[in-house]
Amino acid sequence: MTETNTKKLHLTAFMRPVSLHTGAWRYPGAYPDANFNLQHLKSFITKLEAAKFDAFFMADHLAVLNMPVEALKRSHTVTSFEPFTLLSALSVVTEKIGLAATASTTYDEPYHIARRFASLDHLSGGRAAWNIVTTGNPESSKNFGRDQHMEHSDRYKRAREFYDVVTGLWDSFADDAFIRDRESGVYFDPDRMHVLDHQGDELRVRGPLNIARPIQGWPVIVQAGQSDPGRQLAAETAEVVFCSPRDLASAKELYADIKGRVVAAGRDRNHLKILPAALVVVGATVEEAKAKRLELDSYVHYDSAIASLSVSLGVDASKFDPDGPLPTELPDTNASKTSRAGVVQLSQTEGLTVRQLAQRYGGYSGLAFVGTPETIADEMAVWLAEEGADGFTVTFPFLPQGLDDVTEKLVPELQRRGLFRKDYEGSTLREHLGLPRPPNRFFE
Amino acid sequence: MTETNTKKLHLTAFMRPVSLHTGAWRYPGAYPDANFNLQHLKSFITKLEAAKFDAFFMADHLAVLNMPVEALKRSHTVTSFEPFTLLSALSVVTEKIGLAATASTTYDEPYHIARRFASLDHLSGGRAAWNIVTTGNPESSKNFGRDQHMEHSDRYKRAREFYDVVTGLWDSFADDAFIRDRESGVYFDPDRMHVLDHQGDELRVRGPLNIARPIQGWPVIVQAGQSDPGRQLAAETAEVVFCSPRDLASAKELYADIKGRVVAAGRDRNHLKILPAALVVVGATVEEAKAKRLELDSYVHYDSAIASLSVSLGVDASKFDPDGPLPTELPDTNASKTSRAGVVQLSQTEGLTVRQLAQRYGGYSGLAFVGTPETIADEMAVWLAEEGADGFTVTFPFLPQGLDDVTEKLVPELQRRGLFRKDYEGSTLREHLGLPRPPNRFFE
């Protein structure tokens, strides 16, 4: 255990106001109105800060997702606060926790993005982070005047250039540009202001940004891509990678690949933190935790759940007996074999009925830690020691109880083992994450 | 005085963090760092709310303004917080005061604008207002990938359509759409959701917005245009007009014209409030107030001030003796005769030197009320009674003292006379302004 005592986990909270799990709003004690209830969000972030989480991370979409109406009408994830307005409000009721907003390089302008993150960084005393997304949801294009969604490779090409422009705009002023000398009447030194004058393939942006350099130099850069261009963009630009490996083996492969690309790009491997997304369900016993998860899944309506299972299996699962086991003989299909094998394995290891399998896939079927504070801490310690992760992007199964279980039970266990901080090391998000403040590319 | 006792003024605060006046940061007691100091802004808005102001109104630019470097380096208005992030933060420390953000229809997307204002309205409990601007500053175009600034008439054509799209997106959900019935598992009624599917000349936006209808139905619509298309857009869409008449006579002409256009557009004339922008300088005597203003003007550097005077006169004023009076014989010029006559009149009525005239034009030369609480209240009462204004968009000469003078001295005098509220009438900005909640165009 000595290695894990020197290396610590980083924990961020990946938030939708009611949880990412589609059944969560029906769980006992949940706040179904949290999408537009600031009081609830204040209480969540206050608890996360008391537990010393690195950051509060707002997921986002730029459209009402395209779902069959039977699923859509049951989903609480359709509408909620917009990230910048919400995080700016929450910055006032917190002092230390990082504030990560999702913002799209496909459907926004670099001048706006640079400005809003710089402003959030100034407002919050250096706690902003930008989750760079290229917006994969094709429905979004129709909300922004385009009939065709931009191709994957074009989106990544634009994202790379967009990043260069935004970081260049953040460097518009040297840190010491603002003299504010009352006597001479000189407010700032124009020699310490840089006009970017970017002329690229995708973007033309003159600058300078009309905002002083952010407190962190640049807000922390977050990326979620797992595709090849996504990994490469992350290796060149990201400081936090939020990914979705299925298990420790695939996490280790991803970790080694991305860290290798970071070094190949000439960067320090410790300046990019890999934080897989994980659902965390805590119980007094492993059985209780599993039962909580099954109860949560049971709130996913069968009509909307069965479609998700059918996609994963590549067959129409609505023909099966919902309360029986998954048939052992499944018809041939073009669906991904890995995906189907995952379903079969899950049905066997957990002994789930077709209904329960459907509800798992309709709710949340990614990486999950389900157990006691001790068993989860054991697992997280292994992921950290074996280089599957530098920490986790935690998803709560339901709120507020699922969050309280983590902050009141799991975090103290991690702290007891020396796996997580007992207090913040500094005041900016970069300091929490052990990341350097980037130099200004135009000024000493 | 009986008429003015039934009709009351509306007051909004037109803010830049250090003041709009370019010399303000050098005034004794000023906060030159307020552009990025949230504590100062919290104290300003808290005082304005205690004085029952209708709204806190953030001015904005989308570029560092194009000025000669000698003027630019002396300007504190170059950089500051971005309006949405700042107002969202300030919403948390206030309960009643309205929050007006400037947002451009030329350089942003209607889906983003609709979403951000709706989110601010939900966060603040119904206090958001949108100052619709078409962005006249040609420098902005270069920050958004365009070599050519969009023509004035094209900007207004797009603005009109943009307004239709944004308000249509706000109406995406009926007020009662979100059922959140735990038992049946139905979160919202899809029959109470409208897909806008806008296909216009300038914009194509599918919708629906991924946010519930704002608390105010629509955030309050503010407009500043004084040109003919600007007045017409205001008459058709605005609920508050923020204008810049030179004096009461021109204000009355503007007031009558815009209210006439409102009625011609089929609207109730009381559903648009005309609030001219006015600098307010309060002193214990009229002489003290005038001296404060002259002191403020004296902080505008002569090198940057003289250029403004030259523009207004249409001649190179740097050739005149700075400490002498304006020469009585001025060379012929193509400059606006109205503009030149204004300078000549000012030089005579206030007996200003060339330097003082230059500093007036380099600082703030628009409508101003300079006097004691009593004389200013007298003037404001006349403007209200004679239909020059429904209230004022107040600009403070310097902060914090100039704001304190208004909230602690002028407002109590207005309240004593029954010209201004002693407490808020309701909780939303629409309620403060006496504006109806707009019906949803798609749902009863």
Side-chain angles (χ1 to χ4, degrees):
Chain A
M1 294 286 287
T2 44
E3 301 94 326
T4 56
N5 282 342
T6 57
K7 205 163 129 189
K8 286 190 167 61
L9 292 161
H10 293 285
L11 297 178
T12 69
F14 191 66
M15 302 292 295
R16 294 286 291 186
V18 187
S19 152
L20 266 89
H21 192 287
T22 53
W25 69 275
R26 300 175 72 193
Y27 198 86
Y31 303 143
D33 69 338
N35 287 320
F36 299 108
N37 187 320
L38 183 62
Q39 298 310 318
H40 295 324
L41 287 150
K42 281 185 189 174
S43 78
F44 300 155
I45 198 167
T46 304
K47 290 172 183 176
L48 291 165
E49 182 166 79
K52 316 303 177 192
F53 263 60
D54 291 76
F56 180 99
F57 184 158
M58 270 300 282
D60 196 37
H61 295 293
L62 292 177
V64 170
L65 300 185
N66 186 18
M67 293 189 254
V69 72
E70 276 305 305
L72 185 67
K73 74 181 186 186
R74 300 177 185 285
S75 171
H76 61 78
T77 64
V78 166
T79 58
S80 74
F81 290 123
E82 178 275 342
F84 281 101
T85 44
L86 176 64
L87 292 177
S88 301
L90 294 177
S91 76
V92 177
V93 299
T94 51
E95 290 181 1
K96 297 280 192 172
I97 192 167
L99 304 162
T102 298
S104 172
T105 55
T106 303
Y107 299 114
D108 215 325
E109 295 278 351
Y111 202 86
H112 288 314
I113 294 288
R115 206 174 162 221
R116 234 170 269 135
F117 277 108
S119 190
L120 180 62
D121 204 57
H122 281 287
L123 279 171
S124 64
R127 297 189 279 140
W130 174 22
N131 177 32
I132 303 183
V133 298
T134 65
T135 310
N137 164 19
E139 288 301 300
S140 301
S141 62
K142 302 195 178 92
N143 290 331
F144 295 92
R146 304 190 204 158
D147 295 325
Q148 296 284 319
H149 192 52
M150 202 185 287
E151 286 290 334
H152 190 268
S153 61
D154 291 343
R155 293 207 313 272
Y156 275 88
K157 185 162 177 284
R158 179 177 160 100
R160 186 66 183 77
E161 187 178 332
F162 199 110
Y163 163 87
D164 286 339
V165 173
V166 168
T167 53
L169 289 170
W170 284 334
D171 287 345
S172 291
F173 292 91
D175 289 316
D176 60 1
F178 294 90
I179 305 161
R180 303 190 196 103
D181 181 35
R182 276 192 165 112
E183 201 54 43
S184 65
V186 175
Y187 194 78
F188 77 96
D189 179 355
D191 291 338
R192 307 294 281 167
M193 178 180 88
H194 180 84
V195 178
L196 186 66
D197 208 10
H198 175 89
Q199 304 279 343
D201 289 346
E202 300 280 333
L203 301 163
R204 283 175 299 136
V205 182
R206 183 169 184 274
L209 195 65
N210 58 355
I211 193 159
R213 193 161 194 253
I215 289 174
Q216 297 186 99
W218 305 349
V220 172
I221 304 295
V222 185
Q223 272 272 306
Q226 293 205 99
S227 64
D228 186 75
R231 290 181 190 201
Q232 191 54 33
L233 180 65
E236 293 172 16
T237 66
E239 298 172 289
V240 172
V241 164
F242 146 63
C243 50
S244 307
R246 179 194 304 270
D247 53 27
L248 179 56
S250 61
K252 287 164 74 170
E253 181 279 323
L254 188 66
Y255 189 101
D257 178 66
I258 293 179
K259 294 270 180 169
R261 291 177 192 239
V262 168
V263 173
R267 299 175 61 202
D268 182 323
R269 74 195 297 274
N270 293 318
H271 293 171
L272 181 147
K273 308 294 179 186
I274 298 181
L275 309 181
L279 183 77
V280 178
V281 187
V282 182
T285 62
V286 173
E287 290 65 37
E288 186 191 285
K290 286 185 175 172
K292 281 185 183 182
R293 189 181 194 192
L294 278 176
E295 180 180 353
L296 173 62
D297 285 348
S298 78
Y299 296 116
V300 180
H301 198 274
Y302 186 68
D303 291 349
S304 53
I306 198 68
S308 305
L309 181 62
S310 300
V311 168
S312 294
L313 284 173
V315 297
D316 180 3
S318 68
K319 293 178 182 165
F320 304 151
D321 173 12
D323 297 309
L326 190 70
T328 47
E329 297 286 310
L330 292 167
D332 277 345
T333 166
N334 290 327
S336 149
K337 282 183 184 146
T338 321
S339 165
R340 176 183 279 203
V343 181
V344 172
Q345 194 192 356
L346 180 63
S347 80
Q348 288 165 353
T349 54
E350 297 200 23
L352 302 182
T353 64
V354 167
R355 184 189 305 277
Q356 288 171 324
L357 278 173
Q359 288 171 328
R360 176 67 50 86
Y361 280 86
Y364 180 93
S365 59
L367 177 65
F369 295 114
V370 182
T372 67
E374 294 74 21
T375 66
I376 296 172
D378 288 346
E379 287 187 272
M380 288 185 166
V382 170
W383 280 63
L384 184 66
E386 296 192 5
E387 299 206 327
D390 296 314
F392 295 95
T393 302
V394 176
T395 296
F396 304 107
F398 37 78
L399 294 158
Q401 192 57 53
L403 184 152
D404 293 347
D405 289 343
V406 168
T407 57
E408 295 171 9
K409 293 170 187 160
L410 176 60
V411 166
E413 178 63 21
L414 294 172
Q415 289 171 329
R416 199 183 61 73
R417 299 184 186 199
L419 283 169
F420 192 61
R421 70 169 68 83
K422 290 183 177 165
D423 203 355
Y424 289 106
E425 298 82 10
S427 55
T428 69
L429 178 55
R430 289 191 172 275
E431 288 166 342
H432 307 339
L433 290 165
L435 297 170
R437 188 175 190 271
N440 189 314
R441 78 179 71 161
F442 307 119
F443 299 104
E444 287 273 302
Chain B
M1 293 286 288
T2 44
E3 301 95 326
T4 56
N5 282 342
T6 56
K7 205 164 130 189
K8 286 190 167 62
L9 293 162
H10 294 284
L11 297 178
T12 69
F14 191 67
M15 302 292 295
R16 295 285 292 186
V18 187
S19 153
L20 266 88
H21 193 287
T22 54
W25 69 276
R26 299 174 72 192
Y27 198 85
Y31 303 143
D33 68 338
N35 286 320
F36 299 109
N37 186 321
L38 183 62
Q39 298 310 316
H40 294 325
L41 287 150
K42 280 186 191 174
S43 78
F44 300 155
I45 198 167
T46 304
K47 289 172 184 178
L48 290 164
E49 181 166 80
K52 316 303 177 193
F53 263 60
D54 291 76
F56 180 100
F57 184 156
M58 270 301 282
D60 196 36
H61 295 294
L62 292 177
V64 170
L65 299 185
N66 187 19
M67 292 188 255
V69 72
E70 276 305 304
L72 185 67
K73 74 182 185 186
R74 301 178 185 284
S75 171
H76 61 78
T77 63
V78 166
T79 58
S80 74
F81 289 123
E82 180 274 340
F84 280 102
T85 44
L86 176 63
L87 292 177
S88 301
L90 294 177
S91 76
V92 177
V93 298
T94 51
E95 290 181 1
K96 297 279 192 171
I97 193 167
L99 303 162
T102 298
S104 171
T105 55
T106 302
Y107 300 113
D108 214 325
E109 295 277 352
Y111 202 85
H112 288 315
I113 294 288
R115 205 174 162 220
R116 235 171 269 133
F117 277 108
S119 190
L120 180 61
D121 204 58
H122 282 286
L123 279 171
S124 64
R127 296 188 281 139
W130 174 23
N131 176 32
I132 303 183
V133 298
T134 65
T135 310
N137 164 20
E139 288 300 300
S140 301
S141 62
K142 302 195 178 89
N143 290 331
F144 296 92
R146 302 189 205 159
D147 295 324
Q148 296 283 319
H149 191 51
M150 202 185 286
E151 285 291 334
H152 190 269
S153 60
D154 291 342
R155 293 207 314 273
Y156 275 89
K157 184 162 178 283
R158 179 177 160 101
R160 187 66 183 77
E161 187 178 330
F162 199 109
Y163 164 87
D164 287 338
V165 173
V166 168
T167 53
L169 288 171
W170 283 334
D171 288 345
S172 291
F173 292 91
D175 290 316
D176 60 2
F178 294 90
I179 305 162
R180 305 190 193 103
D181 181 36
R182 276 190 164 114
E183 201 54 43
S184 66
V186 174
Y187 194 77
F188 77 96
D189 179 355
D191 292 338
R192 308 293 282 167
M193 177 180 88
H194 180 83
V195 178
L196 185 66
D197 208 9
H198 174 89
Q199 303 279 343
D201 289 346
E202 300 280 335
L203 301 163
R204 285 176 296 137
V205 182
R206 185 169 183 274
L209 194 65
N210 58 355
I211 193 159
R213 194 163 193 252
I215 289 174
Q216 295 186 101
W218 304 350
V220 172
I221 304 295
V222 184
Q223 271 272 305
Q226 292 206 98
S227 64
D228 187 75
R231 290 182 190 200
Q232 191 54 33
L233 180 65
E236 292 172 16
T237 65
E239 299 172 288
V240 171
V241 165
F242 146 62
C243 50
S244 308
R246 179 195 305 269
D247 52 27
L248 179 56
S250 62
K252 286 164 74 170
E253 182 278 324
L254 188 66
Y255 189 102
D257 178 66
I258 293 179
K259 293 270 180 169
R261 292 178 191 238
V262 168
V263 174
R267 298 174 60 201
D268 183 324
R269 73 196 299 274
N270 293 318
H271 292 171
L272 180 147
K273 308 294 179 187
I274 298 181
L275 310 181
L279 183 76
V280 179
V281 187
V282 182
T285 63
V286 173
E287 290 65 37
E288 186 191 286
K290 286 184 175 172
K292 280 186 184 181
R293 189 182 194 192
L294 279 177
E295 180 181 353
L296 173 62
D297 285 348
S298 78
Y299 296 115
V300 180
H301 198 274
Y302 186 67
D303 291 350
S304 53
I306 196 69
S308 305
L309 181 62
S310 299
V311 168
S312 294
L313 284 173
V315 298
D316 180 2
S318 68
K319 294 177 180 164
F320 304 151
D321 173 12
D323 298 309
L326 190 69
T328 46
E329 296 286 310
L330 292 168
D332 277 345
T333 166
N334 291 327
S336 151
K337 284 185 182 143
T338 321
S339 164
R340 176 182 282 202
V343 181
V344 172
Q345 194 192 355
L346 180 62
S347 80
Q348 289 163 355
T349 54
E350 297 200 24
L352 302 181
T353 64
V354 167
R355 184 189 304 279
Q356 288 170 325
L357 278 172
Q359 288 171 328
R360 176 67 50 86
Y361 279 85
Y364 179 94
S365 59
L367 177 66
F369 296 113
V370 182
T372 68
E374 294 74 21
T375 67
I376 296 172
D378 288 346
E379 286 187 274
M380 287 186 166
V382 172
W383 281 63
L384 184 66
E386 297 193 5
E387 300 206 328
D390 296 314
F392 295 95
T393 302
V394 176
T395 297
F396 304 106
F398 35 79
L399 294 158
Q401 191 56 52
L403 184 151
D404 294 347
D405 288 343
V406 169
T407 58
E408 294 171 11
K409 293 170 186 160
L410 176 60
V411 166
E413 178 63 23
L414 295 171
Q415 288 170 330
R416 200 183 59 72
R417 299 185 187 199
L419 284 168
F420 192 61
R421 69 169 70 82
K422 290 183 178 165
D423 203 357
Y424 289 106
E425 298 82 9
S427 56
T428 70
L429 178 55
R430 289 192 171 277
E431 287 166 342
H432 307 338
L433 290 166
L435 297 170
R437 188 176 191 270
N440 189 315
R441 79 179 69 161
F442 307 119
F443 299 103
E444 286 273 301

